Amino acid sequence: MTTVSRVPDLRTDIGDVLITEEQIRAKVRELGAQVSRDYEGRSVTLVSVLKGSLPFMADLMRAIEIPVQIDLMEVSSYGGATTESSGLVRILKDLSSTIAGKDVLIVEDIIDTGLTLNYLLRYLRGKGPNSLRICALLDKPARRLVEIPIDYTGFVIPDEFVVGYGLDFGEFYRNLPFIGVLRRELYEPR
Ligand code: IMP
Ligand code: MG
């Protein structure tokens, strides 16, 4: 397991900016409009997965023009500052309200191997929602291990480890307003 033993440099640790702040803003607006149309006449319950989805959730909910309720879960699939999925999913924070009979939209930052979402889907399905869909800001299909039906996708990205707009490495970089590629030498042994 890799650990971050230095204080990150938010400017120089990023190789390329993959998605700019403006691109994110436009995409979130588009997704919000799409959700508003699809759920018209109903309300939607957004279930976000902390901590990486926090900025996306905050922006997406304000781009939706129909009644919204929100709930938050926290799961962990990665141990510490690693970039590989362990396949182990632990619920650190559960839903605070029932979702039985509700139209639930899971709001995720990124779908990588799909193991986290695969687990969450089964877990949430078991709670009897009226419908259950997935909205993911980023889709990294190259490393998918289980098929995940993504209903709303922001951006499909290449097989790079990205940080920013909620996404972290060793709990840092979440506050970057854009999505950038973390320099490989920061997590790959030389
Ligand atoms: P999965 O179970 O492999 O699909 O992983 C999902 C979780 O892994 C995400 O919610 C992120 O927390 C984390 N993750 C996957 N890829 C990246 C990445 O490129 N940067 C930062 N976190 C990532
Ligand atoms: Mg996450």
Side-chain angles (χ1 to χ4, degrees):
M1 184 189 294
T2 333
T3 44
V4 178
S5 54
R6 56 189 272 281
V7 178
D9 185 321
L10 292 186
R11 228 163 15 88
T12 59
D13 290 354
I14 308 301
D16 288 316
V17 174
L18 199 60
I19 307 168
T20 66
E21 213 176 333
E22 289 71 28
Q23 286 174 310
I24 296 172
R25 199 177 301 128
K27 184 62 76 177
V28 170
R29 219 178 287 134
E30 210 178 284
L31 290 170
Q34 213 177 320
V35 169
S36 306
R37 276 197 304 276
D38 292 355
Y39 290 84
E40 208 193 329
R42 292 180 283 168
S43 72
V44 63
T45 301
L46 305 178
V47 172
S48 149
V49 189
L50 293 170
K51 294 173 253 188
S53 307
L54 190 61
F56 182 39
M57 174 72 148
D59 288 343
L60 181 67
M61 62 188 273
R62 287 175 292 176
I64 297 176
E65 295 171 335
I66 56 163
V68 157
Q69 293 184 321
I70 66 166
D71 209 336
L72 305 167
M73 289 188 71
E74 184 169 4
V75 301
S76 81
S77 56
Y78 287 8
T82 61
T83 58
E84 298 298 317
S85 188
S86 65
L88 269 177
V89 179
R90 257 189 322 145
I91 294 183
L92 303 176
K93 187 219 168 292
D94 206 341
L95 295 171
S96 52
S97 313
T98 174
I99 56 165
K102 292 189 171 176
D103 291 303
V104 173
L105 181 59
I106 302 175
V107 177
E108 252 291 34
D109 49 0
I110 183 167
I111 301 181
D112 185 18
T113 64
L115 293 171
T116 309
L117 246 290
N118 189 50
Y119 175 87
L120 266 182
L121 273 178
R122 268 183 294 144
Y123 180 78
L124 294 175
R125 248 182 228 133
K127 304 217 169 265
N130 181 55
S131 68
L132 186 59
R133 287 184 175 177
I134 298 172
C135 177
L137 180 67
L138 305 177
D139 176 12
K140 201 199 280 185
R143 301 179 1 122
R144 196 65 39 82
L145 295 176
V146 279
E147 203 184 311
I148 299 289
I150 311 178
D151 301 281
Y152 304 92
T153 306
F155 304 91
V156 177
I157 64 164
D159 189 9
E160 304 267 18
F161 194 81
V162 294
V163 294
Y165 197 66
L167 291 154
D168 76 301
F169 176 65
E171 294 297 327
F172 284 112
Y173 308 101
R174 294 192 195 275
N175 56 320
L176 291 173
F178 54 84
I179 291 167
V181 178
L182 188 67
R183 302 180 81 93
R184 279 193 178 272
E185 61 265 32
L186 292 173
Y187 59 88
E188 267 181 3
R190 267 167 294 179

